[in-house]
Amino acid sequence: MVDQVLVTLDGTVHDPDAPLLYADDLAAVRGDGVFETILVRDGAPCTIELHLARLRTSAAALDLPVPDLDDWRIAVGLALDEWGSAREGVMRLVLSRGRESGGGPTGYLTVGPVADRVALARRDGISVRTLPRGFSVDTAATAPWQLLGAKTLSYATNMAALRHAHSLGADDVIFTSSEGLVLEGPRSTVLISRGRTLITPPVEHGILPGTTQQALFETAGSHRFSCRVEPLRPADLILADGLWLLSSVTLAARVHTLNGLSLPVPEIAEELSTLVDLAAETVGAEQDAA
């Protein structure tokens, strides 16, 4: 059983302990590229087609060459063969602009173990702090070069926000806009419930479109839920029946504490967790299975 898998976009399986990138690759030098993180479960990549579509959208935002999704599907299949089906894994697709000295884009993917924190977040929930992002909800429309809504490799600010939250004794973060509207987590989508209505903020506010949230909304209607997209304020998070952060690997992490305030367990907590699992495993599955 391997601990790490590394496959380049040309279909070559590499030694994951051997160097891969050149020192002047713009992924390392400037964070100039895009990526996707995907849960591998039972030997299959969850919501893979949603992730590939978002990879292409993010690449377009950075003016990268259009990714050949069939090449990525082949590389994904090779990596899954190496990883096997005995345990969950985290697959990461990386596409950079390539070397500063010239040449084409760099594309590769890895598969590795799921972090211990994921199982704890799924089982016990998480504590969260709200933090200002410093952007207006209009920034995505008025300053597209900020790349809000694209999943870029430039994650230093997101990781700094998480470290700050950890220093305050919290597990995660929900960003707010300069107007005080709820945005997203550093690596997650915000979801609240009011009864059996599920609500998430609009992506037009500069939010990365969430693949797990999209899969959930495509599934929820057939399970007696209604879904809405609308602006939210921090007070809405407190007054909601339930609050979750949705992400591709953790899936549904219920927020049990927000800014030090304990939140009640909603009646639908277990049902929603099961539904998110179902959505992740069935929506946007591999093209051959569609």
Side-chain angles (χ1 to χ4, degrees), residues 60-221:
L62 271 69
D63 293 323
L64 291 171
V66 178
D68 186 325
L69 299 189
D70 284 336
D71 286 347
W72 282 103
R73 292 184 186 105
I74 292 170
V76 165
L78 291 169
L80 293 173
D81 288 342
E82 294 289 321
W83 182 254
S85 59
R87 57 192 165 146
E88 286 190 338
V90 177
M91 176 179 288
R92 186 171 287 113
L93 281 55
V94 179
L95 176 65
S96 90
R97 200 172 300 279
R99 299 185 65 183
E100 192 170 30
S101 56
T106 303
Y108 64 94
L109 64 87
T110 62
V111 186
V114 174
D116 292 339
R117 65 170 177 80
V118 169
L120 294 175
R122 290 174 182 170
R123 185 191 68 201
D124 301 334
I126 55 175
S127 59
V128 170
R129 298 287 298 226
T130 55
L131 295 178
R133 174 174 267 171
F135 289 117
S136 164
V137 293
D138 296 329
T139 301
T142 59
W145 53 88
Q146 293 287 353
L147 300 176
L148 301 180
K151 196 169 179 67
T152 73
L153 292 171
S154 306
Y155 252 50
T157 298
N158 287 358
M159 296 300 100
L162 286 170
R163 288 193 298 272
H164 181 70
H166 295 163
S167 74
L168 300 175
D171 301 312
D172 216 317
V173 168
I174 292 176
F175 288 124
T176 58
S177 73
S178 57
E179 299 89 351
L181 293 172
V182 171
L183 297 175
E184 60 188 342
R187 53 192 176 198
S188 58
T189 305
V190 176
L191 178 81
I192 69 169
S193 67
R194 293 174 183 157
R196 297 188 69 81
T197 299
L198 307 177
I199 306 170
T200 194
V203 296
E204 290 79 9
H205 287 180
I207 295 170
L208 179 73
T211 55
T212 304
Q213 173 266 315
Q214 180 182 342
L216 173 63
F217 276 29
E218 289 186 23
T219 306

Side-chain angles (χ1 to χ4, degrees), residues 210-245:
T211 55
T212 304
Q213 173 266 315
Q214 180 182 342
L216 173 63
F217 276 29
E218 289 186 23
T219 306
S222 59
H223 291 264
R224 299 185 298 111
F225 284 95
S226 61
C227 302
R228 299 210 309 256
V229 176
E230 62 184 47
L232 297 172
R233 293 188 175 274
D236 295 315
L237 308 183
I238 296 171
L239 296 174
D241 294 327
L243 170 61
W244 292 264
L245 293 184

Side-chain angles (χ1 to χ4, degrees), residues 9-34:
L9 198 52
D10 62 4
T12 303
V13 179
H14 293 260
D15 178 355
D17 294 321
L20 177 70
L21 292 181
Y22 287 96
D24 68 342
D25 193 289
L26 291 168
V29 175
R30 301 185 187 276
D32 191 359
V34 297

